[in-house]
Amino acid sequence: MTLAVFFGCAFIAFGPSFALFVFTIAREPLRVIILIAGAFFWLLSLLLSSLVWFIAIKASNSQDPSLQRGLLIFGVFFSVLLQEVFRFAYYRLLRKANEGLAAISDDDSSAISVRQMAYVAGLGFGIMSGAFSMINVLSDSLGPGTVGIFGDSQYYFITAALMTLALTLLHTFWGVVFFEGCEKSRWWVIAAVVSLHLLVAGLSLLNPLYEGSLPPVYVITLLMGVWAFFSSGGSLHSLSALCTRKT
Amino acid sequence: MCVSSAAGVCSSSVEQKIYVELNETVPCVRLLNATHQIGCQSSMSGDTGVLHVLETQSDLDWILSSGPHPPYMVIMETAFFNRSVMMRMKNSSRVSGVAVIVSKTGLAQNFSPHTTCPNQNTGVYGSELANCNVTVWNPLGNGLSYEDFSFPVFALKDENQTQVIRKCYEDHNQRVNGSAPHYPLCAMQLFSHMHAVTDTVTCMRRTDLQNRFSINPEVLCDPLSDFNVWTSTRPLNSSAKGHAANESVVIAAARLDGRSFFWEQAPAAEGTVSGIITLLAAIQALYPVTQEAPPPRNIFFTFFQGEAFDYIGSSKMVYDMEKNDFVIDLKNVHSILEIGQVGLHSGRSLWMHSDPVSRKNDSVNEAVSEMMNRMESAAAGLSVSVGHPSFSQPLPPSSLQRFLRAGPIPGLVLADHQKSFSNRYYESMYDDAENLNVTYPPGLTPDEQLVYETDAAKSLAEVATLVARSLYLQAGGENNSLSNITADPKTVAQLLYGFLVQKNNSWFRSLLLSAGPGPPQFYIGLGPRIHGPVHSVTRFVQYILANLTGTVTNLTESQCQNPSELSTENKDLFSYFWVSGPASVNSTGEPFCVRASVRLSEAVSPAFELLEYGSRNYSTWTESRWKSIRARIFLVASRELEVMQTKTQQNC
C-alpha cells in the first residue's frame, strides 16, 4: 500500500527498539555481542518450536480447519514455553560468561552487571521476535493494495506494527524481570513471566478482534514496564531525581 | 507465522489476504512496423486504477470528468468498445487502463477494429487505385487495432472472473444516490509492459547492439513469422530450385491467418477459415481424379501465413521464386485462383475479382476471360452461381496482388462480396462460428457434432466443388471427368467443427497429438524460433492435407523419420508423417506412416533477410517482447489513512 504505509509501520514497530539500541547498546561492544547472541537464542527457540509444529501439521489432516486451528494454538503455546526455556538457558550461559569475564579482567569484577545483561538479552529477544513478526508484513505493504478484499480489517498493517512494538518492549521487560527472579531465586516471578507471555500470546489469537487484543496487551506492557523499573533497582526517588536534575 | 495451505505450498499469507490474481488474462500487445508502433503499453510496474464499470453514458462522464478518485480502471461493457469511446479514453489522463468484457450481449451489429483499406501500402496498386479510391473494402472498420494506446487494454473472456470483478465493484465502489463511494475502494492493476518502442528499425537496431556488445543479450522484438503450407497434384522435387522444366502450374491459394485487437485472439471464421476449408475440401475432391486422369498442368495448392500483416507469406514465396530459391519460379506459373472470404454467400452468387491494370495487356485479358468462362461452366449444375464485378474495380486485398507486383499473371480472387466485404466482424474477436451460422442443435455429443452437417457445411461444400472443377478445367482437364469431382460435405462439416468450435476432437487427435480446448486461434505468432515447433494451425493444415492426399505406407517409426535409407522412398518428392491413428473406446490408435507431397516453406518477410527494416516494399511487422503479463484486483485505502500511519509514528 505504498511507501507511506511501509515507512510508517516500519518506524512504529522498530523505532523505539532502534532508538534503544543506538543510545544504550551501540557504543559497548560487549553489549552488542550479548544482544546478538540473545537474538540467536530466540531464533533457535523459534526453529525448534516451528519444527514441532510443522511435523504436527504434516502428520495431521490438512482438510480439517478446526484441527488446523487447534494445532496453531498448540504451536503458539509450545513456542512460548520454548522461548522461556531458552531465556533460562541464556541466563545460565550469561552467568557462566560473567564469571569468566570477571576472571580475565584487571580488577576482578565483570565489565557488565547481571542487570545490564538482563536488559540487553531481553532487547535481543524482542528485536528478533519483532523482526520475524513484521518483516513479511512490511514487504507486502509496499504493493499498491491493502488488506480487505476478503473481508479482513483494513487496519491490518498498523495493528501488526503496534503489536510488534508491544512485543518488543514486553520481551525487554520480561528479560529484566526474569533474570532478576533467577538471581534472587524467586520462582514465582518466573512463573508470572511465563504466564503473562502465554496470556499475551493467547490475546493475539483473538485477532482480528483488535479491540480485544491491543488495549490489554498495552496495559500489560505498561505494568511490566513499571515492574521492570522497580525490579532493576529503580525507585520513585530516582525518578524525581531525574526530573530535578533536568530542571 | 506462515500457514501452509492445503496444497502444501507456503506462500505469503498476507499477500493472499490482499490480492486476487486474475488468471485468465488476454492482453493487447505492441506491434511495430517500419514507421509506427500500434497496440498497448503499461508502465513497468503495472498501472493501477480504481475500478469503474462503464455501462451508461453517465458512467463515461464520471470516469472522464466528475469522478473524485482518478485515475480509473475502466471495466467496459461490450457496447461501449468502439472508436469514439476508446479515443476519448486515450486522450484523457484520468484513465489508467481498460478491461473490455467480451460477450455477445450488447454487441453492436458490426465491429471491425481493422482499417477500412487493409494492406493498402503493400499491394500492387499505385496512387490511383490504392487507398480504396474506387471501393472501400472494409467500410465498417474503425481502425482501433492500428492505434497506439499508452495504457493497458485487457479482454475479460472468462465469465466467472468477470463476476468476481463485478462483485468487488458492487461491494465497494457503487455510487449510492449519486454520491461518491467511500474508501477503501476496489482497484485493479494491469501489467503488460512492452520492451520495444517507436518502430521496427529502432527496435532491431537496439537488439543488434545488444547481440553484439552484451554478455546477456536482451532481444526486444521478434519478426512475425511462421510457415506456408503447399502441396501439388504432381510431386515437385524439393531439392531442385529455380525454374522447373516442362512444368506449367496453376496456383490455388488461400490465407491461413487472421488477427484481432487482442493478442492471439483471432477466430477468423469468415475471414480465413471459410477459405481454408473450401480449399482443403477442393483438394480432397480433386486428388483422386488427378491421379486417375491427370490434367496437362500441375496444380499447386498453397496456404499463405501472415497475410493480415502486409502479406508476409505470399511476399516471401514470390521473393523466393524471383531469386530461384523455390521449387518453381514465376515463369512456371500459368494462372492463379485465390479463395478469399467465401462463407457468407448464402444463396447469392460468388464473385470473381480480377485486376484491371494487368488486364490492359491483351494476352492477360484473354487468359482471365477464359478463366472466368471455365469457372462459369464449372458452376453450371451447382446451386452456386458466379458473376464478375465491374471491370474497373481493383482486386480486394489478396495474395494475388503480391504475384502481380512481380509481373502480369492471369488470376482471379473468388469472394462472396461484390464490392465491400460482407463480413461485419472482419479481423475481430467476434468473427466466430456464429458469424458463419455454424450452430449445432442442442444435446449432441462432441463426436456427433463433429460429423453433423450444418447448412454452412453444405454451402461451403458447393463452393469447394466449384473451385475443384474450375481448377481441373483450368489445368486442362477434360469436361467429362468433371462430374466425378465433388466435395464431401462430411469432410467440410468435420473441418468446420475442428476449426471453429473445438480443436481437441477425435479426428484431429487421430492425426497428431492435440492442443487444448476450444477453437484454434489464427494469429501468426512468432514461429518456431520462439514457440517451439510449428504453429498449431499450420500444423493442423499440414497434417490434414497429408491425411486427405497422402498414402499409407507400412514403414516403421524409425524408417518414417529417415526414409532416405530406403530405396523405394524418395525424400525429395515426398514428406513422411508419423500419425497416431484413430482412437477407439478401448485403445489408443495404431500409429502408422503416411507419405504425402505436403511441404512447409518459411513465411518470414524478406525485409528481415535483406536487413531492410524500414522497407516500403515488404512487411516489417514485429511483435514486442515482454516480461510478465498479469492482472490482479485488491482494495486501496485512502491517502488519509496512509498519511495517518506515517503521522502516528512521528507523534509516538
Side-chain angles (χ1 to χ4, degrees):
Chain A
M1 208 176 91
T2 72
L3 281 180
V5 171
F6 173 79
F7 281 114
C9 289
F11 291 143
I12 290 177
F14 298 117
S17 46
F18 183 66
L20 285 174
F21 175 80
V22 165
F23 290 124
T24 59
I25 297 184
R27 285 169 188 255
E28 309 263 334
L30 195 55
R31 294 183 192 173
V32 173
I33 294 171
I34 296 177
L35 181 92
I36 294 182
F40 179 68
F41 265 71
W42 187 87
L43 262 185
L44 275 184
S45 80
L46 184 72
L47 175 67
L48 284 177
S49 57
S50 62
L51 205 62
V52 168
W53 173 80
F54 189 73
I55 294 173
I57 287 284
K58 286 301 172 193
S60 71
N61 175 17
S62 59
Q63 305 299 330
D64 184 358
S66 60
L67 177 63
Q68 297 296 309
R69 178 107 181 132
L71 280 176
L72 181 67
I73 297 175
F74 158 72
V76 165
F77 287 147
F78 182 72
S79 170
V80 167
L81 293 174
L82 212 55
Q83 283 174 45
E84 297 304 328
V85 165
F86 270 74
R87 204 196 298 272
F88 183 71
Y90 195 44
Y91 165 73
R92 296 302 296 263
L93 179 69
L94 283 177
R95 290 283 281 140
K96 274 255 156 62
N98 215 9
E99 290 162 21
L101 281 172
I104 61 168
S105 79
D106 294 328
D107 51 358
D108 240 4
S109 70
S110 161
I112 186 169
S113 76
V114 176
R115 280 181 178 156
Q116 288 170 350
M117 286 199 292
Y119 158 69
V120 174
L123 189 59
F125 268 53
I127 289 180
M128 194 44 92
S129 156
F132 260 71
S133 317
M134 201 56 197
I135 293 290
N136 79 323
V137 172
L138 275 181
S139 78
D140 286 320
S141 74
L142 270 175
T146 185
V147 174
I149 197 167
F150 292 109
D152 305 299
S153 159
Q154 56 165 325
Y155 300 110
Y156 183 85
F157 291 121
I158 193 168
T159 47
L162 287 171
M163 195 71 181
T164 305
L165 170 65
L167 259 177
T168 309
L169 293 175
L170 273 174
H171 270 291
T172 315
F173 302 146
W174 282 331
V176 171
V177 171
F178 191 96
F179 277 34
E180 194 65 27
C182 286
E183 281 284 291
K184 303 273 171 40
S185 297
R186 291 186 193 145
W187 306 115
W188 64 271
V189 168
I190 295 173
V193 166
V194 175
S195 38
L196 275 176
H197 196 167
L198 284 170
L199 177 65
V200 167
L203 282 173
S204 80
L205 285 169
L206 281 179
N207 286 337
L209 186 66
Y210 296 126
E211 302 82 12
S213 67
L214 270 183
V217 167
Y218 269 85
V219 165
I220 294 175
T221 311
L222 207 60
L223 293 175
M224 279 305 308
V226 170
W227 186 4
F229 177 74
F230 284 114
S231 124
S232 58
S235 62
L236 291 172
H237 176 73
S238 54
L239 259 184
S240 61
L242 178 70
C243 293
T244 52
R245 211 177 303 151
K246 269 230 154 114
T247 56
Chain B
M1 199 183 293
C2 188
V3 181
S4 65
S5 65
V9 171
C10 202
S11 59
S12 163
S13 55
V14 181
E15 206 177 346
Q16 285 172 337
K17 280 188 211 270
I18 304 179
Y19 301 107
V20 175
E21 292 285 338
L22 303 175
N23 291 325
E24 309 285 325
T25 53
V26 177
C28 143
V29 300
R30 174 171 279 171
L31 294 162
L32 310 104
N33 72 358
T35 49
H36 290 86
Q37 61 183 24
I38 65 173
C40 320
Q41 165 80 310
S42 83
S43 38
M44 185 103 84
S45 51
D47 281 307
T48 313
V50 171
L51 280 181
H52 197 83
V53 175
L54 177 52
E55 289 168 307
T56 61
Q57 189 59 35
S58 66
D59 286 323
L60 192 56
D61 296 325
W62 182 264
I63 291 169
L64 293 176
S65 47
S66 53
H69 311 121
Y72 283 98
M73 183 66 68
V74 181
I75 307 290
M76 195 180 266
E77 292 277 354
T78 321
F80 279 87
F81 188 44
N82 52 40
R83 188 178 175 87
S84 63
V85 172
M86 286 302 283
M87 285 296 123
R88 287 180 74 181
M89 302 262 156
K90 181 178 167 176
N91 293 331
S92 160
S93 59
R94 289 167 54 105
V95 174
S96 64
V98 173
V100 181
I101 297 178
V102 175
S103 78
K104 293 290 172 97
T105 56
L107 177 60
Q109 274 292 85
N110 55 72
F111 177 74
S112 170
H114 211 77
T115 49
T116 50
C117 204
N119 289 345
Q120 61 191 39
N121 295 321
T122 40
V124 68
Y125 296 113
S127 49
E128 314 102 35
L129 291 174
N131 306 328
C132 294
N133 281 337
V134 177
T135 312
V136 179
W137 297 112
N138 187 26
L140 304 168
N142 56 30
L144 270 182
S145 291
Y146 288 82
E147 290 288 334
D148 181 31
F149 293 100
S150 57
F151 51 75
V153 181
F154 276 51
L156 301 173
K157 286 181 80 173
D158 184 5
E159 184 52 45
N160 294 337
Q161 197 163 264
T162 313
Q163 207 36 47
V164 168
I165 298 175
R166 268 193 210 275
K167 182 154 186 325
C168 185
Y169 172 75
E170 278 155 22
D171 287 342
H172 297 100
N173 293 22
Q174 280 282 25
R175 290 154 62 185
V176 179
N177 294 339
S179 68
H182 297 296
Y183 277 104
L185 293 172
C186 197
M188 183 153 77
Q189 187 175 28
L190 297 177
F191 297 83
S192 69
H193 179 73
M194 301 287 138
H195 293 170
V197 277
T198 321
D199 54 31
T200 297
V201 177
T202 309
C203 170
M204 295 306 274
R205 182 186 74 224
R206 290 181 185 175
T207 305
D208 286 339
L209 276 174
Q210 287 267 346
N211 281 334
R212 238 181 288 167
F213 294 119
S214 169
I215 296 177
N216 224 352
E218 179 117 352
V219 177
L220 298 173
C221 58
D222 300 290
L224 294 177
S225 72
D226 196 50
F227 289 94
N228 301 324
V229 184
W230 62 265
T231 181
S232 52
T233 50
R234 286 203 298 264
L236 292 164
N237 189 346
S238 69
S239 55
K241 310 271 184 195
H243 186 77
N246 300 332
E247 281 278 359
S248 173
V249 166
V250 176
I251 297 185
R255 62 183 284 200
L256 259 186
D257 74 321
R259 66 164 304 198
S260 76
F261 183 80
F262 297 101
W263 182 59
E264 293 236 314
Q265 302 299 308
E270 153 74 346
T272 303
V273 174
S274 60
I276 297 177
I277 292 183
T278 305
L279 195 54
L280 282 175
I283 294 173
Q284 186 198 30
L286 258 181
Y287 226 76
V289 179
T290 53
Q291 305 306 313
E292 280 172 20
R297 296 191 192 100
N298 203 349
I299 311 179
F300 180 89
F301 304 97
T302 171
F303 295 85
F304 291 120
Q305 184 67 277
E307 300 301 275
F309 291 102
D310 288 333
Y311 308 120
I312 296 178
S314 51
S315 64
K316 173 77 166 118
M317 190 176 272
V318 172
Y319 177 76
D320 283 343
M321 285 184 180
E322 283 174 330
K323 268 190 349 166
N324 289 332
D325 204 10
F326 197 62
V327 293
I328 53 176
D329 77 351
L330 290 164
K331 291 194 283 292
N332 286 120
V333 176
H334 171 263
S335 51
I336 302 181
L337 173 66
E338 182 173 338
I339 322 290
Q341 304 179 68
V342 293
L344 289 177
H345 71 101
S346 67
R348 300 187 297 261
S349 60
L350 290 171
W351 300 91
M352 302 177 286
H353 296 259
S354 60
D355 169 41
V357 173
S358 62
R359 282 177 82 180
K360 290 186 186 144
N361 178 328
D362 282 334
S363 60
V364 173
N365 190 25
E366 208 182 298
V368 172
S369 307
E370 264 179 37
M371 219 170 147
M372 288 195 193
N373 290 337
R374 288 189 187 120
M375 199 156 229
E376 278 162 10
S377 75
L382 294 177
S383 61
V384 63
S385 62
V386 288
H388 53 92
S390 74
F391 184 91
S392 55
Q393 179 172 270
L395 282 176
S398 52
S399 319
L400 177 57
Q401 292 200 21
R402 293 300 304 196
F403 282 87
L404 287 170
R405 270 173 91 120
I409 302 177
L412 290 178
V413 176
L414 190 66
D416 59 16
H417 53 90
Q418 183 185 10
K419 295 208 175 125
S420 315
F421 295 157
S422 328
N423 190 355
R424 289 171 297 133
Y425 299 107
Y426 182 64
E427 310 281 38
S428 82
M429 272 182 308
Y430 303 107
D431 188 9
D432 53 9
E434 220 178 293
N435 193 26
L436 268 189
N437 287 330
V438 171
T439 49
Y440 297 92
L444 293 182
T445 66
D447 281 328
E448 285 167 6
Q449 281 181 339
L450 178 64
V451 295
Y452 181 80
E453 290 176 26
T454 54
D455 290 334
K458 292 179 190 143
S459 110
L460 273 183
E462 290 276 307
V463 179
T465 308
L466 168 67
V467 167
R469 290 184 184 177
S470 319
L471 283 172
Y472 189 69
L473 288 176
Q474 186 69 11
E478 295 299 314
N479 247 328
N480 44 14
S481 313
L482 271 191
S483 51
N484 295 338
I485 302 177
T486 319
D488 180 12
K490 181 156 169 291
T491 312
V492 175
Q494 285 182 312
L495 286 169
L496 272 175
Y497 183 73
F499 280 123
L500 290 181
V501 181
Q502 176 68 266
K503 59 189 188 289
N504 191 8
N505 57 63
S506 50
W507 184 36
F508 281 18
R509 272 200 303 272
S510 74
L511 296 178
L512 40 77
L513 298 169
S514 199
Q521 303 296 334
F522 290 80
Y523 175 66
I524 176 177
L526 298 176
R529 269 182 294 155
I530 315 294
H531 284 160
V534 178
H535 180 47
S536 63
V537 162
T538 316
R539 185 169 276 275
F540 288 155
V541 170
Q542 182 192 19
Y543 274 71
I544 290 170
L545 269 179
N547 180 259
L548 296 176
T549 64
T551 45
V552 179
T553 64
N554 49 8
L555 300 177
T556 63
E557 184 172 2
S558 53
Q559 286 173 328
C560 206
Q561 320 279 24
N562 282 326
S564 41
E565 297 162 8
L566 293 167
S567 57
T568 51
E569 307 298 340
N570 189 339
K571 212 167 166 208
D572 288 334
L573 290 178
F574 300 103
S575 305
Y576 294 84
F577 301 91
W578 188 247
V579 159
S580 327
S584 61
V585 180
N586 298 338
S587 63
T588 56
E590 290 270 326
F592 52 91
C593 190
V594 173
R595 175 181 65 212
S597 56
V598 177
R599 296 214 176 257
L600 297 177
S601 82
E602 229 193 335
V604 185
S605 170
F608 295 101
E609 277 187 33
L610 297 168
L611 300 183
E612 290 170 13
Y613 301 127
S615 164
R616 298 273 160 184
N617 298 324
Y618 298 111
S619 162
T620 47
W621 286 103
T622 53
E623 184 187 275
S624 168
R625 284 216 185 170
W626 58 82
K627 280 256 156 51
S628 79
I629 290 190
R630 55 195 175 98
R632 55 186 184 178
I633 57 172
F634 43 87
L635 295 189
V636 283
S638 60
R639 285 215 67 76
E640 287 76 32
L641 180 61
E642 294 176 20
V643 171
M644 186 215 21
Q645 295 185 182
T646 16
K647 278 231 175 311
T648 315
Q649 65 82 18
Q650 286 170 4
N651 292 335
C652 250

